[in-house]
Amino acid sequence: MTSLDSRERIDAYPTHHIAGYGVRAGHPLPFGATLVPGGINFSVYSDRATRMWLVLFEPGAREPLAELEFPPSFRIGSVYAMTVFGLEAESLEYGFRAEGPFAPERGDRFDVSKVLTDPYARMISGRDEWGTVPDRDRPCPYRSRLVLDDFDWGDDAPLRIPAEDLVVYELHVRGFTRHPSSGVSAPGTYAGLREKIPYLKDLGVNCVELMPVFEFDEHDNPRSHPVTGEPLLDYWGYNTIGFFSPKAGYAATGRFGMQADEFKTLVKELHAAGIEVILDVVFNHTAEGNERGPTISFRGLDNATYYMLTPAGDYYNFSGTGNTVNCNHPVVRDFVLGCLRHWVSQYHIDGFRFDLAAILDRAPDGTPLANPPLLEQLAHDPVLRHCKLIAEAWDAAGLYEVGTFPAYGRWAEWNGKYRDTVRRFLKSDAGTVAELATRLAGSPDLYTGRGATASVNFVTAHDGFTLHDLVAYNDKHNEANGEGNADGANDNNSWNGGAEGPTDDPEILRLRMRQMKNALAILLTSQGVPMLLAGDEIARTQLGNNNTYCQDNELSWLDWSLRDTHAELHRFARSLITFRRAHPALRSAAHSPDGISWHGVRAWEPDWSPESRLLALMRSTEGEQIYVAMNAHWEAHDLQLPRPESGTTWHLVADTAAASPYDFREPGDEAPLTVPDSYRIATRSTVILLARA
């Protein structure tokens, strides 16, 4: 009897010959290109196309090697599927050509002259090295490729760090090591970031949130620098071309087609260092823009399925970038789910932050849904079960859902209200103390029933001022972006301390340093998940530019020499993270009003009046008490302290007004107070005390 392994596979032989290749009817699922016995299975969805071709290229060749039309019998439902034999997966590029009606008023924009990128392409060629100008005239400038699943992950497994224990560090892969001062062997790459893992581990962060790493075209920006005339780029990468493909221009090995392995190696080594990886993902819009944009993929395959369209066939623009993805269409929901499953299973990603996530709960006509199926499906998907899901809970069309985002017991949110409240308090705005207390306690007004870890707390992020610029500029200075300083947010809640931008005034410089320490101290002693912007711990500046999306230069790159220039701030940030990690009272996932007491200048008497600019709180859990006082007043105050537990006295941990190194005491070296029941808090400063025997 012949064993099963020795039997010849019938499906490994062609039934048809097209354009010189042996083919047979393919499998409709999975979509994209998949290795099968003897060949490659190609599957693509289009509900409205009338004909479809598979277009094959030799790597780098301008013209196609062959075009294979899908026979009608190879179509199952709205899926064209064909297995092609005799192809070498590693030396093949491909795309699709779709024929159908061009009737924009009905939502159809087929163009049979275009060779289209596979939406499910695991790798894309054409952007192999950062900054090279694309040849947009060649057929299919962004060509699809296969990736062999042969990476050795060893024993790598998800870290599953509890959300309350996270300290998130948002960074741009290129900008983190591109500056000449980085000292890495491959600046601006995944490999370069790998060399900085010891720095991240020493700082104490245990989660990196990477700005977009899905394939995009950095030349997708028509503007030039208004002074130099140099082309400006899409540096941030929020215009996705390939949702399943890692950015080749971020790989030192991208020109060799090894970007997938290089990125996997980065993830593996971050995990080995105890650091999770969250990806910033952009499902709300694509690089195809509005009707004047290029036809790359979705538009040419099935415009009416993939995009939200008005009754007249125009693009809804809830993203502010020209188009809006129709995320709650069943086909698009499956696409998003398949993409995230791909990154979790193939790249071991630990979580996702969703850009303009409010769009994900809009119906095809733009109406917010009470029970959006995509968000529910992502929350309960078995493959994504242990992933962190974080929403930027607003969009560019005014839908603001901080605290009301449909969470299904799983979603956390960037807490924009936390950011705004802390910023207003730091610059001594009236009427902020009461709301500040709510934000410090994990925003129970927003996340009742969800817990404090639903709140991702931040003072700064990539979108807006850096921490240094928040205390050095009253106004944005985006002239270099070529938009007449009209881009970027105007409501920055910033204060320059007495001079706009660079200054030699020692008093102003001391105030700015103290204000940066205040922001970090408040952030890292708040309930919720703290997120730092890369470089804030060493006072990185963008010279007042609060929207550096187009600046691939020293304005955006992290200058590593600042680690020496601002060693005082780096030490303070590092010590704060260590302190947070050592004290569970600061990391409670539950909203526990019994564990927090509020105080003012006098113990147990907080001042909630609009004129108040001082707030203190004491966190008490079994075995530890921590007291934090925050003074945004321009006057010093003598604080009456609450009495700690019997047998303990207050010890000084941190005082942002003290000169370094006395601004933060190392663990075990906290200083007992000279007067046990009082402390003089300086103007615009923060004090942290710990009850010790």
Side-chain angles (χ1 to χ4, degrees), residues 158-223:
L159 299 180
R160 297 184 186 176
I161 299 173
E164 61 268 25
D165 294 336
L166 291 178
V167 178
V168 182
Y169 189 80
E170 187 197 28
L171 65 86
H172 187 282
V173 170
R174 178 171 170 82
F176 197 60
T177 62
R178 179 60 185 83
H179 196 278
S181 62
S182 70
V184 300
S185 57
T189 66
Y190 307 126
L193 177 53
R194 278 171 50 207
E195 295 184 46
K196 291 298 184 181
I197 291 176
Y199 172 83
L200 297 172
K201 191 170 183 179
D202 177 74
L203 181 61
V205 299
N206 58 7
C207 177
V208 291
E209 183 175 303
L210 303 182
M211 291 175 65
V213 298
F214 293 2
E215 189 61 75
F216 65 92
D217 187 349
E218 63 272 19
H219 286 277
D220 186 11
N221 187 342
R223 294 184 176 88

Side-chain angles (χ1 to χ4, degrees), residues 143 319 428 456 503 511 516 548 558 617 634 636 648 650 664 689:
R143 295 179 183 170
S319 66
S428 305
V456 176
T503 180
L511 172 60
M516 287 189 283
T548 57
L558 178 56
L617 75 158
W634 44 88
T648 66
W650 289 118
F664 209 107
L689 305 178

Side-chain angles (χ1 to χ4, degrees), residues 233-306:
L233 301 182
D234 174 22
Y235 170 72
W236 282 354
Y238 283 90
N239 275 339
T240 309
I241 288 172
F243 289 82
F244 287 71
S245 174
K247 174 67 177 164
Y250 285 168
T253 57
R255 63 186 183 276
F256 305 120
M258 295 296 292
Q259 58 264 36
D261 280 11
E262 188 173 323
F263 184 63
K264 289 175 182 178
T265 302
L266 169 63
V267 174
K268 183 178 179 180
E269 294 195 13
L270 283 165
H271 283 174
I275 299 173
E276 290 192 335
V277 181
I278 289 176
L279 299 187
D280 189 343
V281 294
V282 189
F283 291 107
N284 59 79
H285 71 278
T286 76
E288 292 185 308
N290 60 19
E291 62 276 1
R292 295 185 295 274
T295 296
I296 299 171
S297 180
F298 295 118
R299 174 178 293 146
L301 286 172
D302 208 302
N303 187 65
T305 291
Y306 288 107

Side-chain angles (χ1 to χ4, degrees), residues 226-556:
V227 176
T228 66
E230 294 180 2
L232 295 173
L233 301 182
D234 174 22
Y235 170 72
W236 282 354
Y238 283 90
N239 275 339
T240 309
I241 288 172
F243 289 82
F244 287 71
S245 174
K247 174 67 177 164
Y250 285 168
T253 57
R255 63 186 183 276
F256 305 120
M258 295 296 292
Q259 58 264 36
D261 280 11
E262 188 173 323
F263 184 63
K264 289 175 182 178
T265 302
L266 169 63
V267 174
K268 183 178 179 180
E269 294 195 13
L270 283 165
H271 283 174
I275 299 173
E276 290 192 335
V277 181
I278 289 176
L279 299 187
D280 189 343
V281 294
V282 189
F283 291 107
N284 59 79
H285 71 278
T286 76
E288 292 185 308
N290 60 19
E291 62 276 1
R292 295 185 295 274
T295 296
I296 299 171
S297 180
F298 295 118
R299 174 178 293 146
L301 286 172
D302 208 302
N303 187 65
T305 291
Y306 288 107
Y307 293 114
M308 290 187 190
L309 304 176
T310 70
D314 298 321
Y315 293 95
Y316 280 119
N317 188 19
F318 300 117
S319 66
T321 60
N323 67 48
T324 306
V325 175
N326 192 13
C327 290
N328 282 298
H329 186 288
V331 170
V332 185
R333 291 204 313 263
D334 286 347
F335 173 81
V336 174
L337 183 63
C339 177
L340 298 178
R341 285 174 168 175
H342 170 73
W343 287 96
V344 170
S345 61
Q346 297 299 310
Y347 289 88
H348 291 201
I349 297 302
D350 301 282
F352 304 93
R353 177 265 187 190
F354 293 77
D355 181 64
L356 298 183
I359 284 174
L360 306 186
D361 68 13
R362 290 186 184 267
D365 65 355
T367 306
L369 294 165
N371 187 31
L374 174 61
L375 300 183
E376 183 179 29
Q377 195 168 3
L378 296 180
H380 297 294
D381 182 72
V383 177
L384 307 181
R385 181 66 186 89
H386 297 287
C387 284
K388 276 83 175 177
L389 301 177
I390 303 170
E392 183 184 35
W394 55 84
D395 66 22
L399 184 56
Y400 189 80
E401 297 185 310
V402 172
T404 62
F405 190 81
Y408 299 100
R410 288 273 281 113
W411 287 83
E413 301 171 16
W414 268 24
N415 192 342
K417 292 185 177 182
Y418 179 97
R419 171 199 60 203
D420 298 342
T421 302
V422 172
R423 287 184 174 198
R424 291 178 58 232
F425 175 79
L426 286 171
K427 71 187 194 66
S428 305
D429 280 3
T432 60
V433 166
E435 185 171 0
L436 178 67
T438 305
R439 302 296 154 241
L440 299 176
S443 296
D445 61 328
L446 303 176
Y447 305 116
T448 298
R450 296 165 61 182
T453 55
S455 177
V456 176
N457 300 328
F458 65 106
V459 180
T460 57
H462 72 273
D463 195 0
F465 281 146
T466 64
L467 183 58
H468 171 276
D469 291 359
L470 186 69
V471 302
Y473 292 90
N474 284 350
D475 303 296
K476 67 183 182 183
H477 296 271
N478 298 359
E479 292 82 5
N481 294 356
E483 300 184 49
N485 204 33
D487 62 301
N490 295 314
D491 53 342
N492 295 289
N493 292 311
S494 61
W495 178 49
N496 63 23
E500 188 74 354
T503 180
D504 294 328
D505 187 314
E507 287 299 318
I508 293 176
L509 292 175
R510 278 193 288 271
L511 172 60
R512 289 178 178 176
M513 178 60 70
R514 191 157 72 248
Q515 287 282 71
M516 287 189 283
K517 291 179 181 178
N518 289 337
L520 292 171
I522 293 172
L523 176 65
L524 286 159
T525 58
S526 296
Q527 273 183 271
V529 179
M531 184 183 77
L532 301 168
L533 174 63
D536 275 355
E537 74 279 10
I538 54 176
R540 183 176 75 87
T541 179
Q542 295 175 168
L543 302 180
N545 192 317
N546 74 352
N547 189 33
T548 57
Y549 77 99
C550 56
Q551 300 293 335
D552 178 36
N553 50 50
E554 296 193 8
L555 201 63
S556 295

